[in-house]
Amino acid sequence: MTRPRLTWGLGALATVMLMAAPAFADDAPPKLDSGDTAWMLASTALVLLMTIPGLALFYAGMVRKKNILATMMQSFTICCIVTIVWMVAGYSIAFTTGNAYMGDFSRIMLHGIADHIVKGNDSQAFVLASGVKDVADMATTIPETVYMMFQMTFAIITPALIAGAFADRMKFSAMCLFMTLWSLLIYSPIAHWVWSPSGWANQLGVLDFAGGTVVHINAGVAGLVCALVLGKREGYPNTNMAPYNLAYAVIGASLLWVGWFGFNAGSAVAANGRAGMAMSVTQIATAAAALGWMFAEWIVKGKPSVLGAASGAVAGLVAITPASGFVLPGGALVIGIAAGVICFWSATSLKHLLGYDDSLDAFGVHGIGGMVGAILTGWFSFGPLSATDATPDGSPGGLAQVWLQCQGVASTIVYSGIGTFVILMVVKAIIGLRVNEEEEREGLDLVLHGEQVF
């Protein structure tokens, strides 16, 4: 009888171990997934495409002929500056554990990012640690190098958006210094608040899938402050400042539209169903916003303009950004229509009513559109899209979530607004902010870069 009992005991033990295996597997580090990594590499390239050449062409098409090259140069140079700033300190401030307000300095100069590379390959997937009790880490299935690069492209386009507000009048040297300081002191901390598991907004439950607060409200408010501090362009609003080449603007807006799929669907950080939904709602909201702006302009002004349709599409892209991983197509349709109509009003009536000179409507489209999208995310959020084992209900929409969204919006406005003003005052004291009247009339292409478009 001893041998049967022993056999039965060993069998029972084996069964228990097999049943427990999935639990042990869940505690193991996530494995790299080649499909997810491939999608994130593609998404990273798409988001970079949004700045160069997308935003560069979009903005250049809306300025006068004498400022086309200078406007393109701003986007191109910001891409270069922020790449280095992100590598040196920006990534560490945004995505290391730190505290609720900013990361630590463990990734300065990207120190330690190659620790898991063995024989040319990362040996484990990247985990964004919370460092906070009872707060879950964010486990991915991609290498940290890919995650760092993906987030770098967001850090690049955000300050580049600001340039639309002060087009035609800021000194190139002042722009370079301002963007360096702004990226480090404004963008990186806000990215930590919202996207790091240890950030206070993330822990509070503020929803921002791909950058409504971090990118668009942040850049839009900073742009408004820049426009107010630098003052109006010479001759505004009486001088004819019609765009020189709307074809550039339409091509740029189209590149932004295509690149935005990497921006929004890529923020799922995986090739999965959430990425698919994010891509779908991005297309729906963008089309709805373009039509919303177009018909609003048609009713008010009698004709639908090419620039209006392109601007409406960008407004829809902006508004769906925070919502893209949280809402269903019906909510996306409403968000898109609301963004198109409201941003048309803000870029035309509101700007003239308050008298500020936001040259290319950085605040009117990105600031206002970001606020519309962030707040409506709170109402239309579909819980199962964000559900996890730890939070099986996800983040369902309702008044409670709208209130959380308003807190995230207000905090971004205050920090970005005050911080941008302080940085501008520092730059002004060191090297000045604006070209003189004669230089502005001659055009920034020749004055700042010694070149011109013929």
Side-chain angles (χ1 to χ4, degrees):
M1 295 296 292
T2 304
R3 181 170 292 178
R5 287 180 180 176
L6 178 61
T7 303
W8 180 88
L10 290 172
L13 179 61
T15 302
V16 170
M17 291 178 69
L18 287 171
M19 292 176 64
F24 295 139
D26 288 344
D27 294 334
K31 293 182 179 180
L32 288 168
D33 185 282
S34 59
D36 291 345
T37 302
W39 166 238
M40 293 309 298
L41 287 167
S43 293
T44 299
L46 284 170
V47 182
L48 184 60
L49 177 83
M50 292 170 64
T51 304
I52 49 171
L55 188 69
L57 281 168
F58 183 57
Y59 276 176
M62 292 191 285
V63 297
R64 290 166 289 176
K65 182 179 179 181
K66 61 185 179 181
N67 296 318
I68 285 179
L69 294 177
T71 302
M72 285 185 161
M73 183 66 166
Q74 288 174 343
S75 292
F76 198 89
T77 304
I78 288 168
C79 177
C80 299
I81 289 173
V82 176
T83 295
I84 305 305
V85 169
W86 192 248
M87 175 255 182
V88 172
Y91 175 70
S92 192
I93 292 171
F95 289 105
T96 52
T97 302
N99 55 44
Y101 302 99
M102 65 179 290
D104 52 50
F105 300 106
S106 59
R107 281 289 188 264
I108 292 293
M109 297 292 291
L110 299 183
H111 172 75
I113 201 169
D115 286 352
H116 302 298
I117 294 179
V118 179
K119 296 181 180 179
N121 240 326
D122 278 270
S123 59
Q124 67 183 55
F126 172 57
V127 176
L128 186 58
S130 70
V132 180
K133 185 179 180 182
D134 298 327
V135 176
D137 296 341
M138 191 191 89
T140 74
T141 53
I142 64 173
E144 186 176 1
T145 50
V146 178
Y147 187 78
M148 181 277 297
M149 265 298 302
F150 180 65
Q151 290 295 343
M152 179 193 286
T153 59
F154 282 65
I156 286 169
I157 196 169
T158 305
L161 294 172
I162 302 171
F166 58 69
D168 298 353
R169 56 201 189 275
M170 183 179 266
K171 294 167 63 175
F172 184 68
S173 56
M175 189 277 297
C176 291
L177 180 56
F178 170 77
M179 293 302 179
T180 300
L181 296 173
W182 193 89
S183 181
L184 274 175
L185 302 177
I186 308 299
Y187 178 82
S188 293
I190 292 180
H192 181 81
W193 295 357
V194 177
W195 288 332
S196 172
S198 59
W200 70 264
N202 190 300
Q203 292 184 48
L204 186 65
V206 175
L207 303 180
D208 186 355
F209 192 67
T213 51
V214 179
V215 176
H216 298 294
I217 298 174
N218 195 8
V221 169
L224 177 62
V225 173
C226 287
L228 293 172
V229 170
L230 268 75
K232 300 175 183 178
R233 288 167 289 178
E234 291 295 334
Y236 180 87
N238 300 316
T239 302
N240 180 14
M241 296 185 178
Y244 171 69
N245 194 327
L246 280 179
Y248 284 177
V250 174
I251 293 170
S254 302
L255 287 168
L256 285 169
W257 190 332
V258 174
W260 224 288
F261 292 123
F263 202 80
N264 286 357
S267 291
V269 199
N272 57 19
R274 199 174 189 189
M277 183 62 76
M279 179 174 279
S280 299
V281 298
T282 297
Q283 179 70 12
I284 291 165
T286 305
L291 293 174
W293 185 307
M294 185 183 78
F295 284 114
E297 186 177 38
W298 203 341
I299 293 169
V300 173
K301 298 188 176 182
K303 293 179 181 179
S305 70
V306 174
L307 181 59
S311 299
V314 174
L317 291 164
V318 168
I320 198 60
T321 291
S324 54
F326 297 106
V327 303
L328 298 178
L333 180 66
V334 176
I335 290 172
I337 294 171
V341 174
I342 293 171
C343 289
F344 165 71
W345 169 79
S346 65
T348 54
S349 302
L350 179 65
K351 179 166 70 172
H352 296 303
L353 179 66
L354 299 181
Y356 57 86
D357 183 13
D358 175 8
S359 305
L360 308 181
D361 297 312
F363 175 72
V365 173
H366 295 277
I368 298 297
M371 294 176 202
V372 170
I375 293 170
L376 290 181
T377 298
W379 185 256
F380 289 108
S381 178
F382 179 63
L385 274 172
S386 54
T388 64
D389 290 339
T391 56
D393 294 330
S395 299
L399 290 177
Q401 188 61 52
V402 169
W403 171 238
L404 291 177
Q405 298 301 103
C406 289
Q407 293 179 60
V409 169
S411 300
T412 303
I413 291 171
V414 171
Y415 184 76
S416 181
I418 295 174
T420 299
F421 178 78
V422 171
I423 292 172
L424 286 170
M425 292 299 100
V426 170
V427 174
K428 183 177 181 179
I430 297 173
I431 56 176
L433 289 172
R434 184 169 175 163
V435 297
N436 62 43
E437 181 179 343
E438 182 180 342
E439 291 172 330
E440 188 175 333
R441 292 187 184 280
E442 187 174 355
L444 302 187
D445 289 0
L446 272 175
V447 168
L448 298 180
H449 306 293
E451 300 162 301
Q452 61 184 320
V453 173
F454 291 100

